[in-house]
């Protein structure tokens, strides 16, 4: 994957992975995954991130098929550290 700092607070990551794993109902599954993520710090306490990936799966063996898996996520995190210290 490759990371880019668009600004000091905003980062962008894009990646690609090709691999294969054993499958319990056929010989193996080969896959290619392309993903991207954008994350930013709104202030010292609030962080936001959004990501998307697409995975192309190819099963080979007794069963032959192809699948496409899409995944998207949004994440917000807030740090309560200032409030929790005594």
């Amino acid at each position: 994957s490759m990371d880019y700092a668009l600004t000091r607070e905003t980062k962008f990551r894009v990646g690609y992975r090709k691999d294969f794993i054993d499958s319990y109902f056929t010989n193996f599954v080969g896959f290619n995954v392309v993903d991207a993520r954008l994350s930013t710090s709104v202030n010292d306490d609030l962080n936001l991130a959004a990501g998307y990936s697409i995975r192309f799966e190819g099963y080979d063996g007794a069963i032959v098929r192809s699948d496409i898996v899409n995944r998207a996520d949004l994440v917000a995190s807030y740090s309560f550290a200032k409030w929790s210290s005594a």
Side-chain angles (χ1 to χ4, degrees):
S1 65
M2 295 173 33
D3 297 329
Y4 301 97
L6 302 176
T7 65
R8 203 176 86 180
E9 298 84 13
T10 305
K11 295 177 178 61
F12 177 72
R13 182 180 57 82
V14 63
Y16 171 77
R17 180 176 168 211
K18 180 175 183 160
D19 205 349
F20 67 92
I21 55 176
D22 290 334
S23 177
Y24 67 91
F25 61 88
T26 190
N27 287 349
F28 69 92
V29 57
F31 60 87
N32 296 286
V33 180
V34 179
D35 65 343
R37 173 163 296 280
L38 180 67
S39 60
T40 187
S41 296
V42 177
N43 55 38
D44 289 341
D45 298 323
L46 180 62
N47 297 304
L48 302 173
Y52 175 77
S53 69
I54 187 167
R55 178 174 164 143
F56 302 93
E57 299 178 344
Y59 295 85
D60 196 14
I63 297 174
V64 177
R65 75 174 207 216
S66 296
D67 294 338
I68 299 174
V69 180
N70 291 282
R71 179 183 294 175
D73 62 59
L74 296 171
V75 178
S77 63
Y78 190 83
S79 174
F80 292 98
K82 293 179 192 174
W83 297 354
S84 64
S85 61

